[in-house]
Structures are given as C-alpha cells and as structure tokens.
Amino acid sequence: MVNLSGPKPHQLVPEHSDRIGSNSVPIHLKNQWIEEGFVCIPSVASRSEIEDHNKIVTDFRRLLDDCLDPYGFGDRIGQLHQVCPDLMNISAKSEIVAFLSWAFGEDPVLFGSLQFEKGTEQSPHIDAIFFWPEPAYAMAGVWVALEDVDPEAGPLFYIPGSHKWPFFHSDDVVDRRPDLKERWSSSANIDEVGDLVSAVGNAWTEDFIAMERERGGQRITPKIRAGDVVIWHSLLAHGGATRINPTLSRRSVVYHYFGKTAKLYTFSQFMLTARDDIKNLQPTVMPRGSYNGLEFMQFPQFATYSDGIERVRLVEDFTGKV
Ligand SMILES: O=C(O)CCC(=O)C(=O)O
Ligand SMILES: [Fe+2]
C-alpha cells in the first residue's frame, strides 16, 4: 500500500510566475495549467499547415522499409524533424512558444518529436522520468492533432491534477525494497547497469500504478480536432486509450520542449540517482539550431519503429533524399 501523503510533490511553475492574463497567454489557460496540468489551445495549425506536415511524413514513410500493421499503418517515427526541418513549422507557432515561455519562465527549446499515424495505446505515464528536467516544471509535451480524432481511434487521455501528486524518485522506490536498494546503492558494474535501470524503472511504474489506483485518478479523453494543440505538464500522467476500431488512423505529432537554461537528464540518470543529487550530474548537452526563431537541440540520428522495436538511423543517410 502506497502512503497517500507520499514523497513530496515538485514546484509546478516558476517562483514568480503570475496568474494574470496577458494578450498572448489567457488567464484561463494559466489557471488550468496549475489546477489540471493540461491545456488545449484550439485551431493553432491551419488546414494548409496540417496538409504540408502530413505530406512530408507520408512521403518519408514511402522511403522506409518498415512493416505496416494489418491495417496499413506505420509505427511511430522519432526525431524526424532532424531530417525534415519543415516539420518544425507547427512547433514554432507563436501560441505554443508564448505559453511555454510563461510555463517555463524562459524561452523553450525543442528537443524531441514523435510522428504518429495511429493511436499509441500507451498506459498512463509521466514524461519527466524519461527526460528529467531541472527544475522539474521546465519540460512539457505538446501534442498536435493532424486530423480530427475519432473517439474509437485510441484518443489521448490525461489524469487531471496528477502533476500535484506526491512524486517518487528512485531513492523513494528502492527505500521500500531492501534487495533493490542494496544493488542501487553499491555502484553496479557496467554490465549490470542496464538490468538495474530496468528493475528500478519497473518498481517505479509499480508504485505509480498503485498510487493511481489508491487516489482514484480519473482518465479524461478530451475531444480534439485537427489543428488543436494540447500541452501537458512534465509531471502529468497521460497516455493513449484503446483503439476500439483499429482501421481508424490517428495522425498526430508530439513535440517535447524544455527551458533554455534548464538541465535535461536521461531515464538511466533518473533511475540511478537520488532526488537531490540529479542536478549535480552532467546533463545532456547538444548543439542547438534555430528554426523560425525557435531554438532546437540537434541530434545526428532519428528513430523508426517496427512492431515496437526501435531502429536508430543516421540523419546524414537520409538528407537529400527528401
Ligand atoms: O499520443 C499518445 O497516445 C501518447 C503520446 C505520449 O505520451 C508522448 O509522446 O509523450
Ligand atoms: Fe508521454
């Protein structure tokens, strides 16, 4: 049984962030961010921007030899904007950048993207454990509908207010498992690190699911139309609902951003390090470029998936082919 009072939650917004509405970020969005951890900004991308985006992804998928599922859909593609920079067009829209600048207390930097052709059916999770930000509020997921989302196509769901729940770090998780704590505390040799990261990761998820059950978290599936943008807090639980009708597509893109001076850590660093020690580690540092005024982290690779198996590919092998 998880103690409902649990380990302490993180601060949700920067210290002096106001709740006063401005022309660029309305007050109802600021309040919803703090209360629910999730906002929807309607009609951010135009029909023609969506068409352009979908065409780039569709054309690129033709170059790939990845298998399609029985309904003709490809799996997710990660970081495709590194190969096709025009896929950052929507990510640089002023409504998104203005909101994130308020939420982070500084300019946002794009560090990741995922292109989806169908629902992900991902169980509830919190993105921050995969890309741990310091400070904890300085990261967010921005999900753009590239078509109207049918309720049977595996829509996005979120658990309102879960960003305020007690938040487990790896030290909290191993504290309740003496054997795991023993392995976690002694510096594991390099061959064992992968296993240890998975074991702590599984234990983290186990505790999180127990907490969700105990708190009776409610899954909300908002109605989202083509061009709408939803933004979730780094600490908010969300996922993809069941694809009731697997013949339906659910084209969307997720962009992940962090704050310009925030530090970003990996899943392994999060799972191997105690809450108060993470900020002393070496964060992920990559060269940065700029697209339509938006800063982005440059990576030399992108990833395709086939039946959920990741295949890492070099950007340079594909530049000029698209
Ligand atoms: O699109 C979805 O169903 C969930 C995506 C997601 O959780 C993410 O990209 O962080
Ligand atoms: Fe996510």
Side-chain angles (χ1 to χ4, degrees), residues 262-300:
K263 296 196 228 165
L264 203 55
Y265 298 98
T266 64
F267 180 72
S268 303
Q269 288 174 311
F270 179 86
M271 291 303 165
L272 296 175
T273 316
R275 174 188 293 245
D276 296 331
D277 298 335
I278 299 189
K279 57 181 174 305
N280 302 322
L281 301 178
Q282 173 62 39
T284 303
V285 178
M286 298 298 290
R288 294 181 183 188
S290 173
Y291 184 91
N292 283 359
L294 173 72
E295 225 176 89
F296 67 99
M297 253 194 190
Q298 292 173 315
F299 290 95

Side-chain angles (χ1 to χ4, degrees), residues 114 116 120 122 125 127 143 156 232 238-240 250 252 254 256:
L114 289 167
F116 299 119
T120 66
Q122 257 184 287
H125 63 278
D127 288 348
W143 192 104
L156 187 74
W232 58 78
H238 62 278
R250 198 213 67 179
S252 57
V254 181
H256 284 100

Side-chain angles (χ1 to χ4, degrees), residues 122-134:
Q122 257 184 287
S123 38
H125 63 278
I126 291 176
D127 288 348
I129 69 165
F130 302 102
F131 326 105
W132 180 255
E134 286 286 346

Side-chain angles (χ1 to χ4, degrees), residues 35 56 85 108 131 171 212 219 243 247 293 301 303 307 311:
E35 298 314 320
I56 295 170
F131 326 105
D171 42 331
E212 190 201 353
R219 297 183 187 183
R243 292 165 66 212
T247 67
Q301 68 287 84
D307 279 337
R311 185 162 160 198

